[in-house]
Amino acid sequence: MSTSTFRVLAADKLAQEGLDFITDQSDCELVNKPGLSEEEYATLIQDCDAMIVRSGIKVTAKILENPGKLKVIARAGVGVDNIDLKAATEKGILVVNTAAASTITTAEHAFALMMSLLRNVGPAYKGMTEGKWDRNKFTGRQLHGKSVGVVGFGRIGQTFAERALAFGMDVVAYDPFINAETMLDGRVKMFKNFEDILPHADILSFHVPLNDATRSMLNKETYKLCRDGLYVVNAARGGVVDEADLLEAVESGKVAAAALDVFTSEPPAEDDPLRNHPQILITPHLGASTKEAQQAVSVDAAENCLTYLRGDGIVGAVNAGNLKINLSDLQEKYVDLAGRMAKLISPMITRGISEVSIGLTGKELAAASSMIERTALVGIFENHLTDPVNIINVNQVAEARSIKVTTTLCDDEKVQPGLTFEIKGPQGAVDSETKEGDKVRRITGRVYDDLKPRIVEINGYFMDMIPEGPMVILLNEDRPGMIGLVGTTFGGENVNIADMAISRRDTTAMMVLKVDSEPTEAQLDAIKSKDGILKTAAINLPATNGT
Ligand code: NAD
């Protein structure tokens, strides 16, 4: 049993349950000091092992300058914008959050929205408040026996599905980052393509992060594959369900009714047509707002601190992916290269993942192979999951999703160091944009004598390019005029191209552009809409100076 006493500083006002949890621990002393000045915290933390914050305090580099014995900062909640992560990482301080605490609460809200939709609770209530008694108008539909399609089968999606099963519903799901035929003991059939699940659902409920692959995934084209009289629930992120297309689908009767807890712009404008549509039920981003979730975040924050301090592991780490480990210069460069390569290839993974194969050559890199593998996996997954993924938990994340990871090492001294990732999608899944199936995504990189990272191949297109700064990758038909088209279109959009690598294969070409600033969605759309442009992806990588 541990004999040390951990001093835990509550630097924001925490729910009483969290404070009680700390005082109940035999090895903890609570320092409950919300609302102090920057200088006061800078001194106080030196004698504390853990610090728990909400969104009130700004944990600045100045506070962390001499951290004394501070080892962990926990955010009771999700967003860590108020914590200087760079400063914390530099001082070796772990930062954790409590993303899981709102899972049940958000799943319940999505469920409440679904039930309310099918029983017309919103419009019936409104009618009553207007003095009406519309019993015939609001004949509802039963949940029992309906088929609900759960899009995104992570924490919230699965929790929602368990509840739907308990109500006698059929549950089908789509999640390209879970490599399984069925889930929840065979009770949920998994679909490999978004388009394939659509004809099987009376109701669609979205539980995905917002990224390039999920933005507007339910839109006027995909509605065509849906059942007539569909019900739609979005308690994930605004914009996953295209708002303009939803209004049209409701007007045309394709969608019977929809419920939205989240919006592209929050709050939506007062005159936004979504606000006043009889078949659209809206709530002001209430998914995580329950008393229980607020209590849970405080208790989870304290628990996550103690798990780490007691040496029992790391839960909810936000910055562990950046922790420095003793590596040689070359090893460090390859770990950095792995992260850059992963971030470059990640937006191209539009048919999910069943297998990641990492090929590593070079004797000196052997000792860093685990770190290179983990860094690569974090970069590949992080944009697709809202669950925190880091070098500590990423192998378990892959395993839990039945994604096979292999690293093959060739440590023959005569072979030049190099790094390749090959990413396979589940069998039968097709690329959501190009509709191609069974294609392996592949990227190869090297670090040459100048110690700069280079990308030498992406999907069979060969190049020599330093991956840094804002970049745009385009796949286009290989015909005259394409370079001019891209230059003119971006020029017209005020996007300045600083550098360009072009590689040709068969009838297509890949252009990798370095641009002066990260293009906006509208600027990217301008390129996407051009004839002959097949695919676009934008990424922003750190500068390579000093890496
Ligand atoms: P999670 O990471 O556990 O699950 C997200 C799932 O989406 C993952 O399993 C991932 O594989 C899957 N996914 C990624 N890309 C996909 C794609 N293109 N198609 C289908 N599935 C894809 O995250 P979570 O905690 O379950 O959160 C789900 C969503 O709910 C997130 O958008 C989160 O921000 C949102 N959320 C909303 C509220 C609210 O107040 N309304 C509260 C909490 C979370």
Side-chain angles (χ1 to χ4, degrees), residues 106 154-156 175-176 208 235 237 261 285 288 384 386-387 401:
T106 308
R155 282 178 308 211
I156 298 174
D175 190 320
V208 290
R237 281 289 173 262
D261 184 46
H285 204 143
H384 299 289
T386 28
D387 248 350
R401 292 164 176 272

Side-chain angles (χ1 to χ4, degrees), residues 17-326:
E17 287 71 10
L19 301 176
D20 292 346
F21 174 86
I22 298 166
T23 45
D24 284 350
Q25 308 300 309
S26 58
D27 56 354
C28 271
E29 181 191 334
L30 172 67
V31 184
N32 190 16
K33 296 269 183 200
L36 302 186
S37 67
E38 199 177 32
E39 289 73 25
E40 286 170 313
Y41 281 125
T43 311
L44 189 56
I45 59 160
Q46 295 176 8
D47 200 25
C48 291
D49 300 274
M51 178 186 203
I52 303 181
V53 304
R54 299 198 61 198
S55 55
I57 178 182
K58 276 211 170 334
V59 185
T60 58
K62 200 169 157 199
I63 291 184
L64 299 177
E65 203 169 310
N66 293 307
K69 63 178 196 173
L70 188 74
K71 293 171 203 70
V72 52
I73 302 171
R75 161 75 163 100
V78 180
V80 286
D81 308 349
N82 58 324
I83 302 171
D84 189 327
L85 286 182
K86 189 166 172 277
T89 308
E90 273 167 17
K91 299 289 178 187
I93 299 166
L94 178 71
V95 179
V96 292
N97 72 4
T98 58
S102 52
T103 299
I104 293 177
T105 276
T106 308
E108 283 186 359
H109 191 62
F111 208 83
L113 291 175
M114 175 172 71
M115 292 188 83
S116 309
L117 275 190
L118 270 76
R119 301 308 294 266
N120 301 304
V121 172
Y125 165 75
K126 195 156 182 265
M128 287 291 281
T129 60
E130 290 162 356
K132 296 178 189 157
W133 183 254
D134 286 327
R135 295 198 62 227
N136 295 333
K137 194 171 163 191
F138 296 125
T139 305
R141 304 296 303 275
Q142 206 169 265
L143 285 184
H144 191 273
K146 295 281 172 310
S147 170
V148 60
V150 181
V151 182
F153 213 58
R155 282 178 308 211
I156 298 174
Q158 293 190 34
T159 308
F160 176 93
E162 278 163 352
R163 280 141 188 80
L165 289 166
F167 268 66
M169 302 182 78
D170 294 329
V171 182
V172 288
Y174 166 63
D175 190 320
F177 299 94
I178 296 179
N179 185 27
E181 299 295 320
T182 61
M183 288 289 285
L184 303 187
D185 302 325
R187 291 176 300 160
V188 176
K189 176 174 165 42
M190 300 298 293
F191 279 82
K192 301 218 185 309
N193 299 300
F194 181 53
E195 283 78 1
D196 294 346
I197 195 177
L198 298 176
H200 295 275
D202 301 306
I203 302 154
L204 283 174
S205 188
F206 288 84
H207 303 284
V208 290
L210 180 67
N211 58 35
D212 281 349
T214 59
R215 186 172 290 108
S216 292
M217 68 193 295
L218 191 59
N219 59 35
K220 53 161 87 74
E221 289 307 315
T222 43
Y223 279 125
K224 291 181 187 158
L225 302 166
C226 296
R227 291 183 178 172
D228 291 337
L230 177 76
Y231 292 90
V232 177
V233 177
N234 182 12
R237 281 289 173 262
V240 167
V241 173
D242 187 283
E243 292 176 350
D245 292 358
L246 174 68
L247 280 163
E248 260 183 54
V250 172
E251 285 303 318
S252 73
K254 181 76 196 177
V255 167
L260 305 175
D261 184 46
V262 286
F263 303 86
T264 19
S265 159
E266 294 190 2
E270 271 177 40
D271 61 351
D272 190 317
L274 291 171
R275 276 194 186 263
N276 209 5
H277 197 291
Q279 283 136 276
I280 301 184
L281 179 64
I282 50 173
T283 50
H285 204 143
L286 292 182
S289 300
T290 59
K291 201 168 169 205
E292 288 80 0
Q294 270 154 33
Q295 291 165 356
V297 292
S298 301
V299 176
D300 283 10
E303 261 181 343
N304 291 357
C305 287
L306 290 175
T307 303
Y308 179 58
L309 292 174
R310 289 170 179 156
D312 293 337
I314 295 183
V315 180
V318 175
N319 68 339
N322 300 327
L323 291 178
K324 290 262 178 257
I325 313 262
N326 273 345

Side-chain angles (χ1 to χ4, degrees), residues 469-540:
M471 299 170 66
V472 177
I473 301 179
L474 302 172
L475 190 67
N476 58 277
E477 288 171 9
D478 190 14
R479 56 176 159 84
M482 292 311 289
I483 300 175
L485 174 79
V486 170
T488 319
T489 311
F490 264 165
E493 291 289 325
N494 225 358
V495 177
N496 199 30
I497 300 174
D499 199 1
M500 181 186 260
I502 301 170
S503 174
R504 310 165 67 182
R505 206 193 68 190
D506 307 328
T507 53
T508 52
M510 180 176 277
M511 293 189 209
V512 182
L513 315 179
K514 288 194 184 169
V515 286
D516 282 357
S517 56
E518 202 174 350
T520 61
E521 250 179 73
Q523 289 168 331
L524 268 186
D525 282 346
I527 281 281
K528 258 186 211 167
S529 63
K530 294 291 175 213
D531 201 28
I533 302 290
L534 306 173
K535 258 184 137 163
T536 58
I539 0 84
N540 199 352

